[in-house]
Amino acid sequence: MAIYKTSPVAEQDLVDIYVRGSHKWGEKQAVDYQRQLIATFHFLAENPELGRSVAIRPQLQRHDLDPYVIFYRKFSYGVQIARILYKNRSMERHL
C-alpha cells in the first residue's frame, strides 16, 4: 500500500486553505474540501503516474484539483506532497 507524506510547506498550505475556506464558505465546506484534498493525496500515492510533469521543476508532478494545483514528488513509498497552490498563483515564485 502506497502512502503520501506532506512537506512542512504543504502542511501550511492546507492550514491556509482551510482558514480561507472557513471564512468564505463556512466550516462545513472547509472540512469537506480538506477531505477531498486528503482523498486526492491517497489517490496520487496509489497512482503517481497520473500527474503531469512540471517544466520549471522536473522532479515534480502536478495534479489539478480545481481551484488548486497539487505538486508532488514520486518516491518508492508513494508520494510527497510538496505544495498546494491556488491555480492563479505564480508557480515560478512559489515552487
Side-chain angles (χ1 to χ4, degrees):
M1 177 180 204
I3 63 169
Y4 77 88
K5 296 179 182 180
T6 52
S7 71
V9 178
E11 286 288 330
Q12 187 58 52
D13 291 339
L14 283 170
V15 169
D16 294 345
I17 290 167
Y18 177 82
V19 169
R20 275 193 308 272
S22 179
H23 286 141
K24 190 166 184 175
W25 295 290
E27 188 172 340
K28 182 186 181 315
Q29 182 79 14
V31 168
D32 288 347
Y33 199 71
Q34 289 284 306
R35 287 185 181 140
Q36 187 177 4
L37 284 165
I38 300 302
T40 301
F41 299 165
H42 285 288
F43 179 74
L44 291 172
E46 294 290 337
N47 304 282
E49 70 284 348
L50 292 179
R52 295 178 297 155
S53 62
V54 178
I56 63 169
R57 296 283 189 270
Q59 73 275 23
L60 292 179
Q61 299 284 79
R62 68 176 281 161
H63 179 80
D64 293 33
L65 181 63
D66 199 41
Y68 295 95
V69 180
I70 300 167
F71 293 93
Y72 65 95
R73 289 180 182 88
K74 296 187 273 184
F75 287 96
S76 59
Y77 60 77
V79 298
Q80 180 192 43
I81 308 301
R83 292 296 312 255
I84 307 118
L85 297 177
Y86 189 71
K87 66 182 177 183
N88 292 335
R89 282 185 101 176
S90 168
M91 303 302 165
E92 295 84 8
R93 185 169 168 226
H94 295 284
L95 286 181

